[in-house]
Amino acid sequence: MDNLTPMMRQYHEIKQAHPDMLLFFRLGDFYEMFYEDAIAGSRELEITLTSRNTDREGRKIPMCGIPHHAAAGYVARLLKRGYKVAVCDQVEEPRQAKGIVRREVTRILTPGTAIDEQLLESKENNFLAALHRAETGTAVAFLDVSTGEFCAAQFSGERADEALLQELHRFRPREIVLARGQRERWESVLPEELLESVVATPEADWIFNRDYSERLLKQHFQVSSLAGFGLEDRPLAAGAAGALLHYVRETQKNGLSHVSRISLLDSSRCLKMDDDTVRNLELLQGMDGNRKFTLLATLDLTRTAMGGRLLRQWVCRPCLDLREIESRLDGVEELKASVIGMKALEKLLASVRDVERLIGRVTMETANARDLLALRDSLKVLPLLDQERSRYSSELLRTEIEPLDDVAELLEAAIDEDAPAVLGEGGLIREGFDSELDELRGIARKGKDFIAGLEEAERRRTGISSLKVKFNRVFGYFIEVTRANLDAVPERYLRKQTLASAERFITPELKEYEEKVLGAEEKIVALEREAFIRVRREVAARAQRIQKAAQVLALLDVLLSFAEAAHRHRYVRPQLDSSQKLLIRAGRHPVLDLHLSTPFVPNDLVCNNDSDQMLILTGPNMGGKSTFLRQNALIVIMAQMGSFVPADEARIGLVDRIYTRVGAGDDLARGRSTFMTEMIETARILNTATSRSLVLLDEVGRGTATFDGLSIAWAVAEYLATSQDRRPRTIFATHYLELTRLADHHEGVRNYCVAIRESGSGIIFFHKVMPGVASKSYGIEVAKLAGLPPEVVDRAREILKRLERKQLNLSGERR
């Protein structure tokens, strides 16, 4: 590196410490990238690739750059593509530098540690995860750096990996931190689709060490024991949590005081759903990736980002605590009863910004003046919201919202209404907040007033009407006189610069005022920065109070969203208990009910662990079987979230797990066919369902030969109907009409079908579920509706008749 410039030597030294990241190297008003980073950055960001100077071999050095003030947008694009970015800033003023300006990496941005507004989805958490494994079990920890939410779990036994994977699917982290020595093992366990959607970050094994992790967690939370967090007897969970905290500290380079607590994940308090179920029920996104026609979109009438994130969590983790569910329903019912009250709360919440993420940026010292103004405006609404909330009597609505007047008043007094986003531009602090600042501003203002009047005074003194007083950053203030008037220049003018058409001068008086003005302005910028940082730290010291208020706002917002949905869509309050019964009268699919062009046909459901334990549902495709399965699962999920439901009546015995086996695709990466995938999912259901579960099976066994498939479907149904320690509530939709005979042999099995009517031109679907057995599958009629050529449909009918009369064998040959 001997023949490199000092600046490029500095670049290489910093880049060497961050080899797996794109280095944003600050040069003036730009972040520059060089070498391979420049090539990748140019490609991913679609910006021009240029070059500068040469390397040691005489080759041009590739480079590209982005304006520093617009960096967030470019970083967002890179993080979404899985890159990590090391931000290298100038950490001293160029004018004060002796030699090259000192630069340091001030922040490392990764997909799991993003906190800036432009890098995040407002109504989705951005979780970072850490995985840890030992002979005694596995553990996982999750942290949303932007909000401070922090939790961990530890698993043991044969299904430890399966339980951990379920939590990964529920939290959907953007990045996973792994011990470097365990990387290969985790890559063999984690599903291919998960590895493709997250960034896996290997870190040193020692950061997962129990002693180190526990010491780090105690130090951070300022406690002498982790028992209060439930981690004292869970060393693997503590190891994962400590590793996560270590990683975030190393990458963010600043405070994490908003991460004020860690909770232990308690899966026994949540209704469990695997990723297949979440996908099949289209809770978060449709099968085509669209998010519009989902349960989340249907229920999301939240006004705040905090409420939107909490609602998403409830959709993924419905509650199993009967008391908590009833408290939520009480709040929804009371809000729904007052339309005027709902509107008043909605209007107030609509003016609240993302307080959780704002205070996160404040504590991490990245919040700018506009962030503090947004926080101030949000905090001003709190007393009004608390006043409106106090009109209600249900338990959750009685939770007080602390006004936080002291924080709002501090920000009101300190931050200028027109403050810029950048700290170094001045204009941050309001007049009257800092006496020293006000004095300096007075000096600067008087000096500028003097200089403004100096031009007219000098014109009168010299008789030079074209004389001008100007300013630039190189020479400061100066008097400019055209060449035609140089004879009239007085001797007290001191020549500063000669131009082609004019000359520039200074005077002792002008120099004296220049020093006052520029000296005052420099001090003003420095003092404003100091005052701003002081105010930001004072706000950060109140982070836990602000977070608590934000949590209450989020809860209020979700309950209000449920109440508004219930009011708009004619939902009713469900009755929940600890029984094992399901009774739904005139239930509707919450999404299709809103988006179908024709009225949705409601259906009843009676299911329990006794007389109606398994419902065998037959009928043609397009008749509504799959819709019936899904709508009842969605009604249960909504009820256990604490929402009213789309039905005339709903009585629900708490469900601990929901399983859906609805369609399947190949898993070619793991060498699994559609049928193999189907069997793996079915095996999971049979091995883990309990008597409190709800099992929804659609066309089990259709992925293989007819007799094989029928045999498997029969055995699966029989097992679910007769297993003494399981017998979950089950709806089994099938085209195998032979399965309806199970009702003759097993108590608790009931036959249902979807109603249709044959007409001369085909069949009419009523989409009504009723007791009974379908007379046939009607597959040919559905094929006709799909547009198969008439000659194919006619030939299929002829073959079917002959098969039914046993005139043909299954090879199509005459007997």
Side-chain angles (χ1 to χ4, degrees), residues 67-78:
H68 79 94
H69 62 271
Y74 291 101
V75 170
R77 290 164 64 183
L78 291 171

Side-chain angles (χ1 to χ4, degrees), residues 470-612:
K470 294 184 175 182
F471 171 84
N472 68 33
R473 291 186 178 275
V474 177
F475 294 109
Y477 287 98
F478 54 84
I479 298 169
E480 186 172 280
V481 179
T482 59
R483 285 195 170 278
N485 293 294
L486 290 179
D487 292 343
V489 172
E491 292 184 5
R492 60 190 178 88
Y493 279 25
L494 304 176
R495 185 173 281 102
K496 185 73 173 176
Q497 185 185 20
T498 300
L499 304 177
S501 59
E503 292 204 14
R504 292 173 174 175
F505 302 89
I506 59 170
T507 68
E509 188 179 27
L510 180 59
K511 191 67 178 173
E512 178 184 349
Y513 271 93
E514 177 190 83
E515 289 174 359
K516 284 184 179 180
V517 171
L518 297 184
E521 288 182 343
E522 283 184 10
K523 289 179 182 177
I524 286 168
V525 171
L527 277 177
E528 277 204 305
R529 184 184 181 87
E530 290 176 12
F532 177 83
I533 291 172
R534 186 172 67 249
V535 169
R536 189 169 63 187
R537 287 176 178 167
E538 287 186 43
V539 175
R542 298 161 169 83
Q544 290 188 35
R545 292 168 56 206
I546 295 171
Q547 284 178 315
K548 185 177 179 181
Q551 289 161 8
V552 179
L553 293 185
L555 175 61
L556 178 61
D557 197 12
V558 175
L559 296 179
L560 193 60
S561 181
F562 285 168
E564 178 66 18
H567 175 71
R568 288 188 191 181
H569 309 318
R570 301 176 292 110
Y571 294 169
V572 300
R573 176 171 181 158
Q575 304 300 312
L576 290 102
D577 56 39
S578 57
S579 73
Q580 295 175 327
K581 297 179 180 178
L582 282 177
L583 171 63
I584 298 172
R585 301 291 186 196
R588 310 187 302 277
H589 191 294
V591 181
L592 297 181
D593 188 36
L594 302 183
H595 297 290
L596 285 179
S597 57
T598 57
F600 186 87
V601 178
N603 276 298
D604 299 341
L605 172 68
V606 177
C607 192
N608 52 53
N609 292 83
D610 186 21
S611 59
D612 297 82

Side-chain angles (χ1 to χ4, degrees), residues 282-294:
E282 299 180 304
L283 299 184
L284 305 176
Q285 66 179 33
M287 295 296 185
D288 59 355
N290 192 316
R291 299 187 180 191
K292 181 179 179 181
F293 304 111
T294 63

Side-chain angles (χ1 to χ4, degrees), residues 280-281 589 592 600-601 603-605 615-633 660-663 695-700 702 730-737 739-740 751-756 763 765-770 772-779 782:
N280 288 332
L281 294 179
H589 191 294
L592 297 181
F600 186 87
V601 178
N603 276 298
D604 299 341
L605 172 68
L615 312 184
I616 304 292
L617 181 60
T618 54
N621 290 323
M622 295 179 61
K625 298 195 305 295
S626 295
T627 297
F628 181 72
L629 267 63
R630 288 186 171 97
Q631 78 182 43
N632 287 298
T660 61
R661 162 86 281 291
V662 184
V695 176
L696 307 172
L697 298 172
D698 193 10
E699 304 299 348
V700 169
R702 298 286 286 186
T730 304
I731 308 177
F732 200 120
T734 183
H735 275 89
Y736 294 131
L737 300 182
L739 292 186
T740 59
N751 289 324
Y752 283 79
C753 64
V754 290
I756 63 164
I763 55 175
F765 298 102
F766 291 106
H767 304 292
K768 195 70 178 174
V769 175
M770 56 192 294
V773 178
S775 59
K776 57 182 180 179
S777 292
Y778 297 98
V782 173

Side-chain angles (χ1 to χ4, degrees), residues 379-445:
L379 297 183
K380 282 183 176 181
V381 184
L382 297 188
L384 300 175
L385 277 166
D386 192 57
Q387 185 178 350
E388 282 295 326
R389 174 213 56 78
S390 66
R391 304 177 192 275
Y392 300 95
S393 59
S394 57
E395 182 181 4
L396 291 180
L397 297 180
R398 283 205 309 268
T399 307
E400 290 186 13
I401 304 170
E402 185 182 353
L404 294 167
D405 292 335
D406 55 330
V407 186
E409 289 167 4
L410 170 64
L411 294 173
E412 178 72 30
I415 308 301
D416 191 277
E417 197 66 40
D418 299 316
V422 181
L423 261 63
E425 292 184 0
L428 298 172
I429 303 300
R430 191 186 289 271
E431 292 273 357
F433 179 72
D434 186 296
S435 58
E436 188 178 0
L437 257 179
D438 291 345
E439 184 179 346
L440 285 169
R441 283 170 173 159
I443 292 172
R445 199 176 297 120

